[in-house]
């Protein structure tokens, strides 16, 4: 588990983005420099900012703008795409509907997942079968988000190539049956400003999202400009802020990568508290293993951590299912 980091490192990954698909150029000194920085950040914090990622700034801004527009709509309008178990846990959830550690979170959200067709993963995938419920207003919401998802998938795969090298593996360690057919989750999130959440000034009721770890490989957090609300827990239990830095994503490690790396990299606890009077939006993209991937410590990681497997085998789809079953009121 992490160290006593006091801030979250910023990594310019442009050499990795440019060269990671070229078998010869992955040995390029600029790529190896990025790989070294990824290794250090993943060991020490499990969190880092990525810049030089190549996703157009206009797209990053547009997805936040469209998110704000949606949450501004009247409640009845938002309810037209209400999340339900029958809809494969896809759709809109009101403030207080998502639960973390047994406490309702002060956020509203639209949850989206990669499409799962009936029978695609047998009984394992039953819970998440369905298609996404996209808002009809604004009309371009779906197209914009799908474009964004495709950019995020590509970027995440490249980051995972860097992380594979950082762990001492080959660049394609997390492709094929591990994450070559990666599952994904998109959460479009809104956190009310502090005055509108409750009139009692009770901080425990103002938690936008309680302390949790993410479930998969890596998360790309596209957070609102100008509001510091995301906090990351270090080894001694201090909450370190991850303020928005224009032009960057916050990237963090999920539970499946913790297992595959035999704990070399940890899925660090984090939470969101919006103490600003302003409504905060965030779009979080989660890059996950193949839905049916069996996840257990990689031999290369086991060797580097004393030769003993610290975790048993997990199936990603089972991990996600157990979260879905407990995440809602
Ligand atoms: N797909 C991911 N990672 N979603 C993160 C949501 C975290 C909050 C959730 N209630 C929980 O307790 O996990
Ligand atoms: O809102 C944020 O900055 C992060 C949200 C988050 O941690 C999550 O949805 O898993
Ligand atoms: Fe998270």
């Amino acid at each position: 588990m992490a160290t006593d980091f006091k801030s979250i490192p910023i990594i310019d990954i442009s050499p990795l983005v440019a060269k990671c698909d070229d078998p010869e150029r992955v040995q390029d000194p600029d790529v190896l420099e990025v790989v070294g920085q990824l290794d250090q950040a993943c060991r020490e914090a499990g969190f880092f900012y990525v810049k030089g990622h190549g996703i157009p700034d206009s797209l990053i801004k547009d997805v936040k703008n469209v998110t704000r527009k949606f949450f501004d709509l009247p409640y009845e309008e938002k309810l037209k795409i209400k999340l339900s178990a029958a809809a494969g846990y896809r759709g809109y959830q009101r403030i207080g509907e998502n639960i973390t550690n047994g406490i309702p979170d002060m956020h509203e959200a639209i949850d989206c997942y990669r499409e799962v067709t009936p029978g695609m993963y047998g009984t394992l995938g039953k819970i998440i079968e369905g298609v996404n419920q996209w808002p009809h207003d604004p009309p371009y919401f779906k197209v914009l988000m799908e474009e964004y998802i495709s950019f995020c998938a590509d970027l995440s795969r490249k980051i995972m190539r860097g992380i594979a090298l950082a762990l001492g593996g080959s660049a394609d360690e997390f492709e094929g049956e591990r994450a070559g057919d990666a599952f994904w989750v998109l959460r479009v999130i809104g956190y009310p400003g502090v005055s509108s959440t409750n009139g009692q000034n009770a901080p425990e009721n103002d938690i936008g999202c309680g302390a949790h770890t993410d479930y998969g490989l890596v998360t790309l957090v596209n957070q609102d400009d100008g509001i510091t609300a995301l906090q990351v827990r270090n080894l001694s239990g201090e909450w370190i802020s991850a303020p928005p830095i224009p032009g960057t994503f916050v990237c963090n490690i999920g539970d499946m990568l913790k297992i595959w790396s035999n704990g070399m990299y940890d899925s660090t606890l984090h939470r969101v508290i919006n103490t600003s009077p302003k409504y905060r939006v965030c779009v979080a993209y989660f890059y996950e293993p193949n839905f049916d991937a069996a996840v257990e410590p990689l031999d290369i990681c086991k060797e580097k951590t004393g030769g003993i497997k610290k975790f048993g085998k997990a199936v990603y789809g089972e991990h996600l299912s157990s979260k879905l079953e407990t995440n809602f009121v």
Side-chain angles (χ1 to χ4, degrees):
M1 91 139 60
T3 58
D4 258 338
F5 62 91
K6 301 290 180 196
S7 64
I8 293 159
I10 304 173
I11 307 179
D12 181 350
I13 63 164
S14 44
L16 181 70
V17 167
K19 298 168 188 168
C20 72
D21 284 324
D22 183 333
E24 272 138 51
R25 294 204 292 170
V26 293
Q27 292 306 323
D28 177 295
D30 294 339
V31 175
L32 294 182
E33 167 65 26
V34 175
V35 167
Q37 288 179 25
L38 284 172
D39 185 48
Q40 187 178 358
C42 291
R43 283 173 194 265
E44 293 183 355
F47 262 81
F48 49 92
Y49 292 90
V50 288
K51 67 174 196 183
H53 45 69
I55 300 187
D57 202 45
S58 54
L59 181 59
I60 292 174
K61 287 206 166 76
D62 286 350
V63 301
K64 282 183 287 207
N65 289 339
V66 84
T67 295
R68 203 181 307 279
K69 254 191 154 106
F70 174 78
F71 289 125
D72 261 347
L73 293 171
Y75 182 55
E76 307 77 64
E77 197 57 37
K78 295 187 270 192
L79 273 186
K80 289 181 179 165
I81 56 160
K82 187 177 163 42
L83 178 148
S84 67
Y89 288 92
R90 296 146 197 271
Y92 171 76
Q93 59 210 259
R94 60 169 166 78
I95 293 167
E97 197 169 342
N98 203 300
I99 299 196
T100 303
N101 307 314
I103 298 169
D105 288 325
M106 291 304 296
H107 72 251
E108 54 187 330
I110 307 174
D111 285 354
C112 310
Y113 297 88
R114 202 181 135 168
E115 184 175 335
V116 175
T117 54
M120 194 168 164
Y121 300 111
T123 48
L124 176 68
K126 209 107 223 102
I127 188 170
I128 197 74
E129 284 176 4
V131 293
N132 288 317
Q133 303 200 72
W134 298 106
H136 307 289
D137 182 21
Y140 53 91
F141 195 104
K142 174 179 191 258
V143 183
L144 187 72
M145 290 298 176
E146 286 182 339
E147 186 189 10
Y148 182 69
I149 287 163
S150 126
F151 270 103
C152 287
D154 192 47
L155 173 59
S156 302
R157 188 185 61 82
K158 290 175 175 169
I159 293 173
M160 285 310 300
R161 294 204 124 207
I163 287 177
L165 295 168
L167 288 168
S170 57
D172 62 0
E173 213 65 57
F174 298 104
E175 290 167 25
E177 61 183 23
R178 293 195 180 120
D181 186 29
F183 194 69
W184 58 257
V185 182
L186 187 79
R187 300 201 75 217
V188 174
I189 318 168
Y191 303 88
V194 80
S195 59
S196 58
T197 55
N198 67 66
Q200 311 151 44
N201 254 341
E204 65 270 25
N205 293 332
D206 288 340
I207 306 278
C209 186
H212 67 278
T213 59
D214 293 343
Y215 316 153
L217 289 171
V218 286
T219 306
L220 297 176
V221 180
N222 173 5
Q223 53 172 335
D224 216 339
D225 299 315
I227 302 173
T228 298
L230 175 60
Q231 303 175 349
V232 184
R233 209 182 70 161
N234 74 10
L235 183 60
S236 29
E238 296 166 294
W239 289 101
I240 307 301
S241 284
I245 300 178
T248 71
F249 290 98
V250 172
C251 183
N252 63 285
I253 304 296
D255 299 333
M256 296 300 108
L257 185 50
K258 172 183 74 177
I259 297 176
W260 263 322
S261 70
N262 204 30
M264 271 172 73
Y265 302 162
D266 202 357
S267 49
T268 310
L269 272 173
H270 53 285
R271 67 181 185 185
V272 179
I273 304 179
N274 182 15
T275 55
S276 124
K278 282 198 287 197
Y279 191 95
R280 174 181 184 267
V281 296
C282 177
V283 181
Y285 172 86
F286 303 90
Y287 186 74
E288 315 282 87
N290 292 0
F291 193 81
D292 54 3
V295 182
E296 61 181 328
L298 300 175
D299 286 332
I300 45 164
C301 297
K302 190 186 75 174
E303 250 77 274
K304 285 189 178 181
T305 47
I308 294 158
K309 284 188 184 181
K310 292 186 186 151
F311 309 100
K313 193 181 282 183
V315 175
Y316 167 71
E318 287 175 4
H319 186 54
L320 177 64
S321 303
S322 73
K323 296 288 185 178
L324 290 174
E325 282 160 2
T326 53
N327 267 350
F328 299 97
V329 285

